[in-house]
C-alpha cells in the first residue's frame, strides 16, 4: 500500500509509518510538497520557449509585486497569445513529467478586464506576491549558470531557442546545464504561428 500525503511534514509521515508498524501493517508513504520552490521555478523557466521566458521574466522583474500591464508586454513582445499559451502548457507538462504535483497553480495568470468581461481582453498578467522572490531567485540561478558557462567559453546556441548544454562540476556533483534556456519543448509550436483568436486579446 502506498499513501501520498500533500503538504505534510516528513515528521508527520514518519509518525504515520510508526503507527502502521504497531498494527503490523506495511506502509510506504510518499510526501508531496505543494506549491513553488526555487528548484521547481528554475525548471519551469528553463522549460519555456524563448518568448514565454521573456514574458515571464518581465512579469517577475518589471512587474509591480508581480503585476504587469498587458499593453506594456505587448509593446515589448508583440502578440501575447503564443507566449501566454506556452506559459500554461509548461505547467501541464511539468505535471505529466512529475516535476510538481497535479494541483500546482500556474505561476503567471491573466487578469481580465472587469468592465468588459465578454470580450475576454486581458489587461495584465500577475504572479502572486509570495512567490515572486522564489522566481527571482530562480532567475538569479539561471543567470549565474549562464555566466559560468560563458566563462568556460560556451555561448548560447542561437536566437530564440537553444539546444546547447554543458556539464559543470558543482559541490553537489556534475550538473547538466542548459546554457541559456528557452529550448523548444516537444509539445510546443512556434509562438509566431499562434494567432490571437477572434474576439480575444491575450
Amino acid at each position: 500500500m502506498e499513501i501520498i500525503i500533500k503538504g505534510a511534514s516528513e515528521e508527520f509521515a514518519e509518525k504515520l509509518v510508526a503507527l502502521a508498524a504497531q498494527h503490523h501493517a506495511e506502509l510506504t508513504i510518499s510526501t508531496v510538497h505543494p506549491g513553488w520552490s526555487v528548484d521547481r521555478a528554475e525548471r519551469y523557466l528553463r522549460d519555456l520557449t524563448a518568448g514565454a521566458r521573456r514574458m515571464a521574466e518581465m512579469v517577475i522583474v518589471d512587474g509591480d509585486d508581480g503585476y504587469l500591464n498587458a499593453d506594456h508586454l505587448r509593446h515589448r513582445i508583440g502578440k501575447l497569445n503564443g507566449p501566454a499559451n506556452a506559459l500554461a502548457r509548461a505547467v501541464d507538462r511539468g505535471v505529466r513529467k512529475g516535476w510538481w504535483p497535479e494541483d500546482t497553480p500556474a505561476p503567471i495568470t491573466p487578469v481580465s478586464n472587469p468592465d468588459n468581461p465578454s470580450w475576454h481582453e486581458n489587461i495584465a498578467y500577475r504572479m502572486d506576491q509570495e512567490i515572486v522572490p522564489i522566481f527571482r531567485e530562480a532567475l538569479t540561478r539561471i543567470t549565474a549558470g549562464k555566466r559560468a558557462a560563458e566563462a568556460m567559453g560556451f555561448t548560447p546556441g542561437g536566437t530564440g531557442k537553444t539546444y546547447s548544454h554543458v556539464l559543470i562540476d558543482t559541490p553537489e556533483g556534475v550538473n547538466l546545464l542548459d546554457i541559456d534556456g528557452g529550448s523548444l519543448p516537444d509539445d510546443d509550436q512556434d509562438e509566431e504561428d499562434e494567432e490571437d483568436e477572434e474576439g480575444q486579446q491575450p
Side-chain angles (χ1 to χ4, degrees), residues 2-17 28-34 40 101:
E2 181 182 21
I3 296 178
I4 298 177
I5 302 177
K6 297 182 179 180
S9 66
E10 293 184 5
E11 180 183 1
F12 175 82
E14 290 173 357
K15 289 181 179 179
L16 193 56
V17 170
T28 301
I29 296 180
S30 300
T31 57
V32 178
H33 300 285
R40 286 175 180 172

Side-chain angles (χ1 to χ4, degrees), residues 59-106:
V59 173
I60 296 165
V61 177
D62 300 338
D64 182 11
D65 289 328
Y67 185 98
L68 192 60
N69 187 283
D71 286 338
H72 178 75
L73 286 165
R74 292 186 187 102
H75 178 71
R76 298 285 298 275
I77 298 176
K79 289 184 178 180
L80 301 181
N81 185 274
N85 287 339
L87 291 174
R89 282 196 296 264
V91 176
D92 296 336
R93 187 165 49 249
V95 171
R96 291 197 305 271
K97 294 186 176 182
W99 294 345
W100 39 76
E102 185 174 355
D103 56 354
T104 300

Side-chain angles (χ1 to χ4, degrees), residues 29-176:
I29 296 180
S30 300
T31 57
V32 178
H33 300 285
W36 289 99
S37 65
V38 176
D39 287 341
R40 286 175 180 172
E42 182 179 0
R43 177 166 278 184
Y44 173 83
L45 292 169
R46 288 190 180 280
D47 194 49
L48 295 174
T49 57
R53 166 85 76 83
R54 187 181 179 199
M55 181 174 175
E57 289 176 348
M58 290 179 66
V59 173
I60 296 165
V61 177
D62 300 338
D64 182 11
D65 289 328
Y67 185 98
L68 192 60
N69 187 283
D71 286 338
H72 178 75
L73 286 165
R74 292 186 187 102
H75 178 71
R76 298 285 298 275
I77 298 176
K79 289 184 178 180
L80 301 181
N81 185 274
N85 287 339
L87 291 174
R89 282 196 296 264
V91 176
D92 296 336
R93 187 165 49 249
V95 171
R96 291 197 305 271
K97 294 186 176 182
W99 294 345
W100 39 76
E102 185 174 355
D103 56 354
T104 300
I108 298 174
T109 55
V111 179
S112 299
N113 186 346
D115 297 327
N116 197 2
S118 62
W119 179 246
H120 302 293
E121 178 186 28
N122 294 326
I123 60 172
Y125 284 82
R126 64 179 297 273
M127 173 179 283
D128 288 342
Q129 293 182 23
E130 57 266 25
I131 66 172
V132 170
I134 293 173
F135 275 80
R136 285 180 176 170
E137 176 61 26
L139 283 176
T140 299
R141 282 190 186 182
I142 292 172
T143 301
K146 193 173 172 183
R147 288 175 180 168
E150 290 171 349
M152 297 173 62
F154 294 94
T155 55
T159 59
K161 309 188 173 59
T162 178
Y163 301 91
S164 302
H165 296 81
V166 60
L167 291 173
I168 293 182
D169 287 318
T170 68
E172 294 78 24
V174 178
N175 288 342
L176 179 64

